[in-house]
Amino acid sequence: MAPAYKLTYFNITALGEPIRFILSYGGLEFEDNRIQFENWPGIKSSMPFGQLPILEHNGKVSNQSVAICRYLAKQVKLVGKDDWEDLEIDAINLPHTIMSKMKKIKESKAIPLFSEIIPPYLEKLDAVAKKNNGYLAVGRLTWADLFFVGILDYLNTMGKRDLLADYPNLQTVKKNVLEIPNIKAWVEKHPKDNL
Amino acid sequence: MAPAYKLTYFNITALGEPIRFILSYGGLEFEDNRIQFENWPGIKSSMPFGQLPILEHNGKVSNQSVAICRYLAKQVKLVGKDDWEDLEIDAINLPHTIMSKMKKIKESKAIPLFSEIIPPYLEKLDAVAKKNNGYLAVGRLTWADLFFVGILDYLNTMGKRDLLADYPNLQTVKKNVLEIPNIKAWVEKHPKDNL
């Protein structure tokens, strides 16, 4: 029987990896459908929303990586214990901040973003992680942590640096996520991007 | 007794109005705390996150307008009937698209955004509204509609035009929201921005 979930994304980590992390965390089997960049122009118009990632489940399909992460987090219990905690997780607004910065990078091809614009943001985030005992919200593991650590390698590759070098509490977040057995197993099976 | 909710924002619609719409829709009483722009520099540092809007409830405080809208939508039942519907509502990703475009406008002060960048986006959204019978997701009223219509006056003011002029299905979304008795009553009590 085919796995219940099918994720379609490019053959890189980037916006696909947080989704893969959450699926792996919960032990949800999924088809990891990876599109080669050279094939994308021929496929794009056949995709329901013209962009990746997309998630297929029970004959339905949806797009938008953050929305997909939030959905899967509910399935694998990486959400808050009540609506207000979910608000706190949403309010750190990490995915959208990262994604809007990534978009800027694409538009400007400007590496200075990594040396000038991102550090003040990481500084604030480091303080948040300190307050939350090595997690990004509500004092324990949530999908916000998996999103952050899932996308980190890609950001480091783009920035050509270890973005967390000066942020010990964010290093703890990273360690806390990568030590989860299911995540560790996933990362070991899947090599880093070769961009 | 003080209302259970307190919203603090500037004395304009913009990012505060979708929150006010959702609170009003659900008949949730709230203190509508409006900060005058000239007082903001003196207040900013005393705000827990240094930005507005913030929502206070049960002695707790949170920020980030979209997260607040999603939270309140759960309280007033403007969400999906299951997790997948919530994914579909999230995936239209309207708030973040609008907000990132607003940020661009602030950065560039470029009105051409309204004549060049926003229309292709509204065209897609109009098709979505057509498919969903005059709503933005799942074929019926959700917080996505209240967010969109709540922020619309502000966008029109910024763009100095009726952004929906060419989009009949989005006009239907607007009509559907503004005809809701609680929203109608709210709008009647609160004049448009005078920017």
Side-chain angles (χ1 to χ4, degrees):
Chain A
M1 215 176 75
Y5 294 93
K6 178 178 176 181
L7 172 68
T8 300
Y9 190 58
F10 302 107
N11 188 24
I12 55 171
T13 61
L15 292 175
E17 201 69 0
I19 300 172
R20 297 180 191 122
F21 267 29
I22 296 172
L23 286 160
S24 299
Y25 170 86
L28 300 178
E29 278 192 56
F30 65 104
E31 183 182 339
D32 190 22
N33 183 32
R34 291 170 181 249
I35 307 286
Q36 301 300 323
F37 283 119
E38 60 265 32
N39 298 332
W40 177 238
I43 294 169
K44 185 173 164 65
S45 66
S46 71
M47 289 288 149
F49 309 98
Q51 55 183 31
L52 299 181
I54 58 169
L55 180 76
E56 293 170 73
H57 181 56
N58 284 342
K60 288 180 286 193
V61 54
S62 192
N63 68 319
Q64 218 288 319
S65 61
V66 180
I68 292 170
C69 284
R70 186 180 292 108
Y71 166 76
L72 290 171
K74 291 174 191 166
Q75 315 302 307
V76 305
K77 315 273 183 255
L78 277 174
V79 292
K81 72 172 185 322
D82 55 31
D83 291 345
W84 188 272
E85 280 203 357
D86 279 331
L87 166 56
E88 291 184 330
I89 296 165
D90 281 351
I92 68 162
N93 206 22
L94 179 66
H96 294 97
T97 307
I98 289 177
M99 284 166 65
S100 70
K101 291 193 194 311
M102 280 173 66
K103 217 168 174 183
K104 268 195 191 171
I105 290 161
K106 271 194 199 164
E107 282 165 3
S108 65
K109 315 235 176 250
I111 296 297
L113 269 165
F114 285 100
S115 53
E116 288 160 28
I117 296 183
I118 291 186
Y121 168 68
L122 288 177
E123 195 160 327
K124 277 185 219 163
L125 207 60
D126 193 66
V128 168
K130 186 175 185 180
K131 205 186 94 190
N132 283 286
N133 305 316
Y135 298 98
L136 290 174
V138 305
R140 62 173 194 283
L141 186 75
T142 68
W143 66 282
D145 305 299
L146 271 66
F147 192 97
F148 180 67
V149 180
I151 209 164
L152 192 58
D153 264 353
Y154 181 75
L155 295 177
N156 283 336
T157 304
M158 299 284 283
K160 303 189 201 314
R161 72 194 65 206
D162 174 10
L163 287 167
L164 303 193
D166 301 327
Y167 306 106
N169 299 289
L170 293 178
Q171 289 169 20
T172 305
V173 174
K174 182 181 175 182
K175 186 168 158 287
N176 285 340
V177 169
L178 295 182
E179 277 179 353
I180 299 166
N182 279 2
I183 300 291
K184 200 173 149 76
W186 170 263
V187 172
E188 277 167 6
K189 266 192 306 185
H190 295 84
K192 299 189 176 200
D193 293 334
N194 190 3
L195 298 173
Chain B
M1 214 176 73
Y5 294 92
K6 178 178 176 181
L7 172 68
T8 300
Y9 190 59
F10 302 106
N11 189 23
I12 55 172
T13 60
L15 291 176
E17 200 69 1
I19 301 172
R20 298 180 190 120
F21 267 30
I22 296 172
L23 286 160
S24 300
Y25 170 86
L28 300 178
E29 278 192 55
F30 66 103
E31 183 182 339
D32 190 22
N33 183 31
R34 292 170 180 249
I35 306 285
Q36 301 300 322
F37 284 118
E38 59 266 31
N39 298 331
W40 177 237
I43 295 171
K44 186 174 165 62
S45 66
S46 71
M47 288 288 149
F49 310 95
Q51 54 182 32
L52 298 179
I54 58 169
L55 180 76
E56 292 170 74
H57 180 56
N58 284 341
K60 288 179 288 193
V61 55
S62 191
N63 69 319
Q64 216 288 317
S65 61
V66 180
I68 291 170
C69 285
R70 187 181 291 108
Y71 167 76
L72 290 171
K74 292 174 190 167
Q75 315 301 306
V76 306
K77 314 274 183 255
L78 277 174
V79 292
K81 71 171 187 322
D82 55 31
D83 292 344
W84 188 271
E85 279 203 358
D86 279 331
L87 166 55
E88 292 184 329
I89 296 165
D90 280 351
I92 69 161
N93 205 22
L94 180 66
H96 294 97
T97 306
I98 289 176
M99 286 166 65
S100 70
K101 291 191 193 312
M102 280 174 66
K103 217 168 175 184
K104 268 195 190 172
I105 291 161
K106 271 192 199 163
E107 282 164 6
S108 65
K109 313 227 179 260
I111 295 295
L113 270 165
F114 285 99
S115 53
E116 287 160 29
I117 295 183
I118 290 185
Y121 168 69
L122 288 177
E123 194 161 328
K124 277 185 219 164
L125 207 60
D126 193 67
V128 168
K130 186 176 184 183
K131 204 185 94 189
N132 283 287
N133 304 319
Y135 299 97
L136 290 174
V138 305
R140 63 173 192 280
L141 186 77
T142 69
W143 66 282
D145 305 300
L146 270 67
F147 191 98
F148 179 67
V149 180
I151 209 166
L152 192 59
D153 264 353
Y154 181 74
L155 295 177
N156 282 337
T157 304
M158 298 283 284
K160 303 188 201 311
R161 72 195 65 206
D162 175 9
L163 286 168
L164 303 193
D166 301 328
Y167 306 106
N169 299 289
L170 293 177
Q171 289 169 20
T172 304
V173 173
K174 183 179 174 183
K175 185 169 160 284
N176 285 340
V177 169
L178 294 182
E179 279 179 352
I180 299 166
N182 279 2
I183 300 291
K184 199 174 150 77
W186 169 262
V187 172
E188 277 167 7
K189 266 192 307 185
H190 294 84
K192 298 189 177 206
D193 294 332
N194 190 2
L195 299 174

